[in-house]
């Protein structure tokens, strides 16, 4: 049995990636740019510093412009939308949480979102006390964002678990890459980003939803 479980938030626990995506066209338009889905796909799951590099690369033919200001506007619009109307739980979340709690397996959230938004979403999901640790790339000053493994390594350290015996649950390419780089048991549960051959190679398992993760744990298929 695994020793601990680390959850991403956006697109994995809460159905929020569609909210982020919905803000992209008007944000790009505000900077005189066309909406390019590649930008939204590639920044998914990353923090600001990595996102700036992606935006500058995707829109290199429109440079110079302030990519940091663009991402700030995107974040402001998305956060306002999610604060007013928090996203609902993704399928299977409560089944998996109940399974892990039943076996007294420590749980944590590791997200690029702010701690305030993490707490806001957990309250909306009635999971305020369900996690032993909440870790934010931004607020906890994690040196490198996903696809680097830093946030997962820090979270495992706080939980007192070894990466090789710790489950990382992710929906984004950057998150799966980070989990694999850190030596975690990495499960991809796809949301807006489809499964690619690279993800099949990097992920330990690919599940359709979080209830399938619970089933594989119960059957001993996911086992440290």
């Amino acid at each position: 049995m695994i020793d601990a479980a680390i959850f991403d938030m956006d697109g994995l626990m809460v159905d929020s990636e569609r909210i982020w995506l919905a803000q992209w066209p008007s944000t790009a338009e505000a900077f005189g740019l066309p909406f390019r889905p590649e930008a939204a796909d590639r920044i998914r799951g990353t923090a600001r510093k990595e996102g700036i590099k992606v935006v500058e690369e995707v829109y290199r033919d429109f440079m110079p412009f302030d990519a940091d200001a663009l991402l700030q506007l995107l974040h402001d619009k998305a956060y306002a939308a999610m604060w007013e109307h928090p996203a609902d739980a993704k399928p299977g979340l409560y089944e998996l949480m109940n399974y892990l709690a039943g076996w007294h397996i420590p749980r944590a959230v590791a997200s690029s979102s702010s701690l305030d938004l993490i707490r806001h979403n957990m309250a909306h999901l009635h999971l305020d006390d369900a996690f032993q640790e909440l870790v934010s790339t931004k607020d906890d000053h994690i040196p490198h964002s996903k696809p680097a493994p830093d946030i997962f390594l820090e979270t495992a350290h706080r939980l007192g678990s070894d990466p090789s015996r710790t489950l990382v649950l992710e929906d984004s390419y950057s998150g799966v890459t980070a989990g694999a780089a850190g030596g975690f048991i990495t499960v991809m549960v796809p949301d807006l980003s489809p499964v690619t051959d690279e993800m099949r190679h990097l992920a330990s398992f690919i599940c359709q939803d979080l209830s399938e993760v619970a089933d594989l744990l119960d059957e001993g298929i996911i086992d440290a």
Side-chain angles (χ1 to χ4, degrees):
M1 181 60 71
I2 60 170
D3 287 346
I6 302 174
F7 289 71
D8 175 48
M9 184 177 71
D10 291 297
L12 187 282
M13 299 177 65
V14 297
D15 194 15
S16 56
E17 290 294 1
R18 288 163 181 79
I19 298 174
W20 283 95
L21 185 61
Q23 314 310 315
W24 260 103
S26 61
T27 300
E29 183 180 4
F31 284 79
L33 303 172
F35 168 50
R36 290 181 173 172
E38 180 189 357
D41 290 341
R42 289 179 56 190
I43 72 164
R44 193 167 293 130
T46 66
R48 179 70 64 82
K49 185 176 180 180
E50 184 69 23
I52 290 171
K53 295 177 184 177
V54 169
V55 170
E56 289 178 343
E57 181 179 338
V58 172
Y59 288 102
R60 58 187 175 275
D61 50 331
F62 286 88
M63 295 298 290
F65 68 90
D66 192 338
D68 186 39
L70 183 149
L71 288 180
Q72 184 62 57
L73 178 60
L74 177 71
H75 279 72
D76 290 346
K77 290 162 68 71
Y79 272 45
M82 287 186 284
W83 210 268
E84 184 174 359
H85 301 290
D88 292 331
K90 294 286 288 182
L93 174 61
Y94 295 110
E95 290 88 337
L96 179 55
M97 291 298 297
N98 288 337
Y99 180 87
L100 295 171
W103 284 96
H104 305 290
I105 295 171
R107 303 163 299 282
V109 178
S111 173
S112 299
S113 292
S114 69
L115 283 173
D116 283 346
L117 186 59
I118 295 171
R119 294 186 181 109
H120 184 63
N121 279 324
M122 294 307 102
H124 175 68
L125 298 176
H126 305 291
L127 294 174
D128 312 61
D129 301 317
F131 295 94
Q132 282 69 49
E133 295 288 343
L134 303 176
V135 184
S136 162
T137 301
K138 176 183 177 182
D139 293 329
D140 288 299
H141 307 293
I142 304 299
H144 302 99
S145 65
K146 306 170 191 176
D150 298 35
I151 189 170
F152 294 138
L153 293 172
E154 171 63 21
T155 305
H157 175 72
R158 294 187 189 188
L159 292 173
S161 63
D162 186 274
S164 67
R165 298 184 58 82
T166 303
L167 193 66
V168 160
L169 297 150
E170 269 285 356
D171 68 293
S172 70
Y173 299 153
S174 60
V176 172
T177 302
F184 292 86
I185 304 167
T186 305
V187 179
M188 182 180 189
V189 183
D191 183 37
L192 296 186
S193 301
V195 180
T196 64
D197 288 341
E198 182 183 11
M199 292 302 104
R200 291 186 183 94
H201 174 72
L202 290 175
S204 308
F205 300 91
I206 296 174
C207 295
Q208 294 306 305
D209 59 34
L210 292 171
S211 64
E212 185 178 345
V213 180
D215 291 341
L216 293 183
L217 286 166
D218 191 45
E219 294 166 9
I221 296 173
I222 297 178
D223 192 348

